Amino acid sequence: MTGAIIEISQLTKQFKSKEVVHKADLKIVKGEIFGLIGQNGAGKSTLLKMIGGLMYPSSGEIHLFDHAVGENHAYFERMGLLIEDPGLFPHYSAYENLDLMAISYGLKDRSKHINELLKLVGLDGSNKTKVKNYSMGMKQRLGIAIALMGSPDVLILDEPINGLDPQGISEVRKLILELNKTGMTIIISSHILEELSKVATKYAILHHGEIIEINSKEELLLKCEVRIEVEVDKASLAIPILEEHLNINNYKVISDRTLYVYDTHVENHQITKVLVENGVSVQSIMKHKQSLEQYFLKRTRAEGDSHD
Amino acid sequence: MINLFKMDLHRFKNNKIMYLLLVIFSAFEIFGIFMMKQYEQPMEQGGTSVSSMNASDFIQLVLSQTPSWVLMYVTVFSVYFYMSEYNSGFYKNYISMNNARMYSVISKILILGMFTLLMLVTMVISDLIGRTIFFNNAAIGDWGYFVKLLVGQFLLHWAFSILVLFISIVSRSMITSLVIGVVLALNVPGMVVGALESLVGNINLSSYLLVNTIVSTKDFNNMNDVIHVASVAIIFMLIFSYIAVRYKVKEDLR
Ligand SMILES: Nc1ncnc2c1ncn2[C@@H]1O[C@H](COP(=O)(O)OP(=O)(O)OP(=O)(O)O)[C@@H](O)[C@H]1O
Ligand SMILES: [Mg+2]
């Protein structure tokens, strides 16, 4: 018993001679929002397809609830998938597509479920437009609704915000957080760490088919902290001045000449000003801010280099 | 299983192509009978003239003509029904259900059986209408024989639709499957194997090929012929159902 509801070990997928996912290991615990981040072609969709039961691994294992998964994947009551393009019948309306899903789950009260889902994703149930005439964002919303049919235990969303407008993005984000509150485990992939960071509780960075790093939300924030790096003649002289005049108490002394200030309410020029006014000369001052995106780029570039 | 079948059934009932195929088929059948009337030649020795045929004779006549139009329609529908779901990617939504892959194929097979049945029913009705109008003859003849003929041909045609389903699953291409289906409906393999056999001499495997069995006239009062038809139909159905399911279960889906 590991407590993980999804566990993959040494999962590898090979197409012809090309290895697209290489020995991936990860554990997903119930109730997590697990973010998978990687560049185009990193293997995100392929990994999710194996977890979702669309593709079989070339080697390695998938365990769901501690059961090794073979040809049959059905250890979950329901698993909602939205991987790559939503699978929709183009000649049917949104309602009809959802209706087929409701039938396949054997749901009673089909129209009630369907209308609730349509409302949840912001689509109009009375709209008779065929799906082939939908905009990309509308298809994406419908794809999310279909994946949610029958309240799945696990929801896999592959780049769910693809094609959505800013309002749609924020709606989907809100929806994901709400669903998660009901205990739903969610796996979500994206190219954009910034976007993922608004929802995910755990992150895996996938690069050239390998998982190069798994971070909790806290670990990631720590790595991407914001700080002001101050270099003075003598750090011990500067500290009391900063504490007294600028009310700074979140700092770290790095060496006897360098200190890092973590308080976000002060600006560089305020620090320079009080220090100079109080007779401490400032050698240099610099705001260090590593955005999530920079961090992601740095990590993947480092990996890329070490591979070349 | 039952729910996936209900889903396919829903799609089956709500699709215009199916009704369109049946209507076109029926129209061509009746038109074909009209043409037979126009160009009816007095049969001298051997054959019976169309006007004096009963329903069984007439249906055997229709089904024995190649290209087999019934097989063409069955091909079009089988390819369409499977490929439209495959191309849409809708299977992604239910694939994680218990045994979804196997059940979805079995469900397709059942739907194809229903379509085949509808085709034969349409054919019988159109023939009766056509013969009543143009030949003033709606005689069924021996009912027992007629039923045996229809059941036999139903099983054979259903087996053919499963074969086409299998081809669609493997080829994943609408055009390829249609072309192969039409080539089969023209009985090209049957003729080729038959020709090879006549070169080699004393073997007769080709008569056990599915399409050859469909287009050859059988005497359903003769036990050997009945066994021949039933065994060919059932063996083809079992083999292609089985490998279609196995293939689907192993398939990497997009
Ligand atoms: N069926 C397939 N046959 C051969 N190669 C494939 C197949 N599917 C994916 N690939 C290759 O595997 C690699 C990873 O593809 P994948 O779709 O998993 O990437 P991704 O991380 O989802 O990318 P994106 O961000 O663009 O969606 C790509 O180089 C792709 O060309
Ligand atoms: Mg992808």
Side-chain angles (χ1 to χ4, degrees):
Chain A
M1 287 287 151
T2 55
I5 59 170
I6 299 176
E7 182 171 359
I8 65 176
S9 43
Q10 298 290 296
L11 207 65
T12 298
K13 181 72 190 177
Q14 200 157 358
F15 292 116
K16 305 258 162 59
S17 62
K18 194 172 166 210
E19 218 168 63
V20 170
V21 174
H22 179 72
K23 297 194 172 168
D25 291 305
L26 55 85
K27 283 180 193 173
I28 297 172
V29 176
K30 184 168 166 42
E32 251 172 11
I33 302 183
F34 195 96
L36 191 61
I37 170 145
Q39 299 159 332
N40 288 129
K44 302 181 294 297
S45 302
T46 307
L47 181 58
L48 293 179
K49 280 176 199 169
M50 289 191 282
I51 296 176
L54 287 165
M55 277 186 177
Y56 296 109
S58 312
S59 65
E61 281 196 353
I62 303 177
H63 283 79
L64 303 179
F65 291 119
D66 285 323
H67 294 278
V69 165
E71 283 171 359
N72 195 4
H73 221 79
Y75 289 100
F76 291 106
E77 183 80 3
R78 304 227 194 291
M79 198 159 173
L81 309 182
L82 172 58
I83 299 184
E84 291 185 337
D85 309 320
L88 305 166
F89 281 111
H91 294 281
Y92 283 178
S93 68
Y95 188 97
E96 288 165 325
N97 268 291
L98 282 164
D99 199 26
L100 282 180
M101 260 334 273
I103 295 173
S104 77
Y105 277 137
L107 298 183
K108 309 234 155 37
D109 275 342
R110 270 153 41 204
S111 73
K112 186 172 140 267
H113 284 285
I114 295 168
N115 287 319
E116 275 173 10
L117 283 173
L118 283 170
K119 208 168 131 219
L120 202 61
V121 298
L123 286 174
D124 178 6
S126 62
N127 190 341
K128 294 274 181 292
T129 313
K130 290 176 178 176
V131 165
K132 67 171 177 175
N133 296 327
Y134 267 25
S135 73
M136 187 165 167
M138 286 163 84
K139 280 187 200 156
Q140 198 71 10
R141 284 167 196 248
L142 181 55
I144 296 175
I146 288 198
L148 285 174
M149 180 59 83
S151 331
D153 300 332
V154 173
L155 182 63
I156 298 184
L157 299 174
D158 187 18
E159 294 171 35
I161 58 168
N162 232 355
L164 294 186
D165 52 27
Q167 191 190 342
I169 293 179
S170 107
E171 281 166 15
V172 167
R173 195 188 300 143
K174 237 175 69 199
L175 181 61
I176 290 172
L177 292 171
E178 266 164 37
L179 292 168
N180 181 245
K181 277 199 201 109
T182 67
M184 196 182 285
T185 309
I186 300 171
I187 310 176
I188 173 169
S189 83
S190 177
H191 316 111
I192 308 167
L193 188 53
E194 189 72 43
E195 186 51 47
L196 268 189
S197 73
K198 292 177 181 153
V199 288
T201 54
K202 218 168 188 188
Y203 305 84
I205 299 182
L206 192 64
H207 188 60
H208 292 327
E210 289 187 52
I211 294 184
I212 56 175
E213 192 168 304
I214 298 182
N215 286 312
S216 69
K217 194 176 183 99
E218 294 72 32
E219 287 167 333
L220 190 71
L221 287 179
L222 208 66
K223 287 174 177 163
C224 300
E225 65 194 4
V226 178
R227 60 177 184 246
I228 298 172
E229 298 176 5
V230 189
E231 202 187 330
V232 290
D233 287 339
K234 213 166 162 46
S236 56
L237 289 179
I239 292 165
I241 300 167
L242 293 176
E243 282 181 345
E244 189 183 330
H245 293 272
L246 289 174
N247 204 13
I248 289 173
N249 39 37
N250 191 359
Y251 58 84
K252 199 147 111 201
V253 181
I254 303 299
S255 69
D256 58 347
R257 292 167 59 89
T258 314
L259 60 138
Y260 288 177
V261 176
Y262 297 104
D263 280 291
T264 48
H265 67 273
V266 290
E267 296 293 338
N268 294 11
H269 64 88
Q270 293 174 284
I271 294 178
T272 319
K273 189 161 170 264
V274 293
L275 286 179
V276 171
E277 277 172 7
N278 289 280
V280 177
S281 61
V282 178
Q283 304 296 331
S284 80
I285 183 160
M286 188 176 82
K287 190 150 195 167
H288 172 275
K289 180 174 187 295
Q290 174 164 254
S291 73
L292 291 165
E293 259 9 275
Q294 284 166 334
Y295 176 71
F296 171 58
L297 285 176
K298 201 176 89 188
R299 284 300 284 130
T300 50
R301 211 174 296 130
E303 281 299 315
D305 291 346
S306 71
H307 274 271
D308 292 340
Chain B
M1 161 75 211
I2 192 75
N3 289 328
L4 282 182
F5 176 64
K6 278 187 193 157
M7 182 182 84
D8 276 337
L9 194 61
H10 187 85
R11 203 154 68 81
F12 179 64
K13 285 189 298 195
N14 292 316
N15 98 41
K16 297 188 192 80
I17 302 245
M18 186 225 359
Y19 297 105
L20 193 68
L21 285 177
L22 291 179
V23 169
I24 295 176
F25 174 66
S26 170
F28 270 99
E29 279 295 297
I30 295 176
F31 180 71
I33 297 170
F34 169 70
M35 294 305 278
M36 283 182 198
K37 175 74 184 171
Q38 293 296 304
Y39 296 99
E40 191 183 21
Q41 288 145 0
M43 296 262 180
E44 267 104 48
Q45 65 274 60
T48 3
S49 73
V50 175
S51 53
S52 60
M53 282 182 174
N54 66 27
S56 300
D57 297 334
F58 186 77
I59 282 171
Q60 289 219 323
L61 172 71
V62 170
L63 290 179
S64 66
Q65 289 163 343
T66 45
S68 163
W69 288 105
V70 181
L71 292 184
M72 299 266 190
Y73 285 87
V74 167
T75 299
V76 170
F77 181 78
S78 306
V79 172
Y80 160 77
F81 196 75
Y82 174 76
M83 289 309 293
S84 59
E85 182 184 276
Y86 183 79
N87 286 336
S88 74
F90 194 83
Y91 59 82
K92 289 194 265 191
N93 303 318
Y94 63 71
I95 201 74
S96 59
M97 279 184 216
N98 197 16
N99 288 319
R101 290 168 181 251
M102 176 169 81
Y103 290 156
S104 84
V105 176
I106 295 175
S107 151
K108 299 287 179 299
I109 290 173
L110 294 177
I111 296 285
L112 294 182
M114 294 176 59
F115 180 75
T116 308
L117 191 63
L118 279 179
M119 276 299 290
L120 290 186
V121 168
T122 307
M123 181 179 76
V124 168
I125 294 174
S126 313
D127 287 351
L128 286 180
I129 294 173
R131 285 168 58 235
T132 310
I133 297 176
F134 302 114
F135 291 99
N136 210 357
N137 172 9
I140 298 287
D142 179 355
W143 270 95
Y145 186 91
F146 184 60
V147 169
K148 272 193 278 183
L149 167 73
L150 287 184
V151 170
Q153 284 294 350
F154 166 66
L155 292 177
L156 289 171
H157 282 80
W158 190 6
F160 181 80
S161 73
I162 298 171
L163 171 62
V164 175
L165 173 68
F166 171 71
I167 293 167
S168 312
I169 291 178
V170 173
S171 77
R172 296 173 209 177
S173 147
M174 206 163 223
I175 306 288
T176 311
S177 326
L178 283 175
V179 169
I180 297 178
V182 169
V183 168
L184 289 176
L186 290 168
N187 199 20
V188 173
M191 291 188 289
V192 170
V193 175
L196 289 178
E197 278 172 356
S198 62
L199 286 181
V200 179
N202 230 340
I203 29 175
N204 195 11
L205 269 179
S206 63
S207 71
Y208 291 94
L209 290 176
L210 181 59
V211 179
N212 250 348
T213 311
I214 292 176
V215 298
S216 57
T217 308
K218 291 276 181 289
D219 177 3
F220 283 83
N221 280 331
N222 177 335
M223 207 51 198
N224 279 338
D225 276 7
V226 173
I227 291 174
H228 182 143
V229 166
S231 52
V232 168
I234 289 170
I235 287 171
F236 270 84
M237 283 174 77
L238 288 181
I239 289 178
F240 284 100
S241 302
Y242 179 78
I243 58 177
V245 168
R246 283 315 297 164
Y247 190 91
K248 184 49 89 181
V249 166
K250 298 255 180 239
E251 189 183 11
D252 263 350
L253 296 166
R254 281 180 299 136

